């Protein structure tokens, strides 16, 4: 079965991603919060689905997997979104003090 190709499969994107990670090797979201974390992903700050540019350098942020996942979940309202599960988006810990992991 053939898979659908996306912009992320293009040589242009792979080149841009590599340039971004080379120029900004640390997670830009973590840095904004005072943490130093290596970046391994590149995030479209303004999502493409919300009109963000696919290949505009100013719309790209180097990101660690955790920050990228949290941001994507917040934007999409996924099941892992802190508002739905009561999870602190920064730590991933339950907000409910009676939860067994809060002890």
């Amino acid at each position: 079965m053939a898979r659908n190709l996306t912009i992320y499969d293009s040589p242009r994107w792979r080149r841009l991603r590599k340039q971004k990670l080379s120029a900004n090797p640390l997670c830009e979201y973590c840095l904004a919060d005072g943490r130093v974390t290596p970046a391994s992903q590149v995030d479209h700050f303004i999502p493409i689905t919300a009109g963000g540019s696919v290949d505009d350098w100013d719309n790209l942020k180097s990101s660690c997997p955790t920050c990228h996942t949290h941001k994507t979940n917040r934007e999409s309202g996924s099941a892992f979104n802190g508002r739905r599960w009561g999870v602190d988006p920064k730590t991933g810990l339950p907000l409910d003090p009676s939860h067994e992991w809060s002890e």
Side-chain angles (χ1 to χ4, degrees):
M1 175 179 218
R3 75 181 184 96
N4 293 329
L5 296 179
T6 69
I7 62 158
Y8 304 109
D9 295 312
S10 73
R12 181 179 177 151
W13 170 254
R14 287 194 297 267
R15 206 170 31 253
L16 185 60
R17 179 186 180 281
K18 184 176 180 178
Q19 290 170 343
K20 181 64 177 172
L21 289 172
S22 178
N24 301 97
L26 299 176
C27 175
E28 295 178 68
Y29 298 110
C30 284
L31 285 174
D33 284 338
R35 296 184 313 273
V36 177
T37 310
S40 61
Q41 300 180 359
V42 175
D43 178 47
H44 288 93
F45 181 69
I46 300 171
I48 297 168
T49 56
S53 173
V54 171
D55 56 3
D56 179 3
W57 186 269
D58 293 331
N59 190 39
L60 302 176
K61 287 200 184 265
S62 295
S63 179
C64 68
T66 301
C67 287
H68 195 194
T69 298
H70 283 283
K71 178 183 173 284
T72 301
N73 287 343
R74 279 192 310 274
E75 292 167 350
S76 67
S78 83
F80 295 103
N81 185 313
R83 290 170 297 191
R84 295 179 75 187
W85 282 99
V87 174
D88 182 332
K90 288 189 179 183
T91 66
L93 296 174
L95 295 173
D96 180 357
S98 64
H99 191 281
E100 63 182 320
W101 287 5
S102 296
E103 297 174 357

